[in-house]
Amino acid sequence: MKRDMKKTLLVLALAAAPIPALAQDTSDTATTTETTTTTTETRDQDGMDWGWLGLLGLAGLAGLSRPKHTAVHTTTTTNHTPR
């Protein structure tokens, strides 16, 4: 039953995924001219590299992991002397 549910969910997820459609260009390529312009965008981050801040945040989360499970086994022995 669980296996069938997984298959069903996979099929539904793939069916809902967008599928690119191929479009046909009906214009004549001989009379069409194309112009390409290139713009350069400069960003000022005020000297801060935000990637390092993210890595520091992940390093801070490393100490929050669960401690390892330690099993404690105790053995008790009783000495009975016959009466």
Side-chain angles (χ1 to χ4, degrees):
M1 181 69 180
K2 231 179 195 184
R3 196 172 181 180
D4 293 333
M5 182 63 93
K6 287 182 182 179
K7 286 181 183 178
T8 304
L9 289 174
L10 177 65
V11 168
L12 289 174
L14 291 176
I19 300 172
L22 298 175
Q24 294 180 350
D25 186 15
T26 58
S27 65
D28 187 14
T29 58
T31 58
T32 304
T33 59
E34 294 182 23
T35 51
T36 305
T37 58
T38 304
T39 59
T40 305
E41 182 179 329
T42 305
R43 291 185 177 185
D44 184 21
Q45 296 181 354
D46 296 328
M48 180 63 180
D49 189 7
W50 293 102
W52 287 107
L53 182 64
L55 288 176
L56 285 173
L58 288 175
L61 293 175
L64 297 177
S65 64
R66 293 184 180 165
K68 301 253 184 209
H69 177 70
T70 55
V72 178
H73 299 284
T74 56
T75 305
T76 57
T77 57
T78 56
N79 293 330
H80 293 290
T81 56
R83 293 187 181 188

